[in-house]
Amino acid sequence: MDKISVVVPVHNGRRFLRKTIRGILNQDYKNLEVILVENFSEDNSLELCRDIQKEDDRVLVVTSEERGTSLARKKGVENASGKYILFSDQDDYYVSKSSIRKMHDAIVEDDVQVV
């Protein structure tokens, strides 16, 4: 089963983070790593990210030295170890527990590079 790295830029997203990360970690596709890239938050998001990291060893917290979502994503990619990378926003909600598996299946079955 291929590892998928889920990169989540975080900026003042404390009120959304738990639900978003729970939605990712509760997927039926389990070979995941979640990279939370903290990007100059002022709402204690970094502390929450570190708490989430303590709860699940698939979570990695990194901090960005530069401001901006695209630079945070780049930092996440630099730290990714998965075969595939999924970008998620800090306020994305995963309604279906099979979302990531279905994306992976589409990549493998249809031999595509982007889903």
Side-chain angles (χ1 to χ4, degrees), residues 54-110:
K54 290 175 189 172
E55 296 168 6
D56 195 306
D57 63 359
R58 295 176 292 168
V59 177
L60 172 66
V61 177
V62 296
T63 56
S64 178
E65 295 81 31
E66 300 179 78
R67 291 184 187 271
T69 302
S70 62
L71 295 172
R73 284 187 178 135
K74 180 179 177 186
K75 182 76 169 186
V77 169
E78 291 170 357
N79 285 275
S81 65
K83 181 173 181 178
Y84 302 109
I85 296 174
L86 170 66
F87 294 114
S88 184
D89 292 327
Q90 66 189 4
D91 60 351
D92 286 347
Y93 299 122
Y94 290 79
V95 177
S96 169
K97 289 188 176 198
S98 62
S99 297
I100 293 176
R101 179 181 46 78
K102 288 178 180 178
M103 285 186 260
H104 177 267
D105 291 350
I107 290 170
V108 173
E109 291 169 12
D110 298 332

Side-chain angles (χ1 to χ4, degrees), residues 3-7 32-33 35 80-87:
K3 182 187 270 187
I4 298 174
S5 299
V6 183
V7 176
L32 302 170
E33 71 177 349
I35 304 169
S81 65
K83 181 173 181 178
Y84 302 109
I85 296 174
L86 170 66
F87 294 114

Side-chain angles (χ1 to χ4, degrees), residues 21-63:
I21 303 310
R22 188 179 315 119
I24 295 169
L25 295 173
N26 287 336
Q27 291 288 300
D28 60 10
Y29 193 96
K30 297 297 183 189
N31 195 11
L32 302 170
E33 71 177 349
V34 179
I35 304 169
L36 302 175
V37 185
E38 212 301 306
N39 193 241
F40 297 92
S41 294
E42 298 171 352
D43 68 348
N44 295 321
S45 289
L46 180 58
E47 289 80 10
L48 178 57
C49 290
R50 289 186 175 142
D51 288 344
I52 293 169
Q53 182 179 25
K54 290 175 189 172
E55 296 168 6
D56 195 306
D57 63 359
R58 295 176 292 168
V59 177
L60 172 66
V61 177
V62 296
T63 56

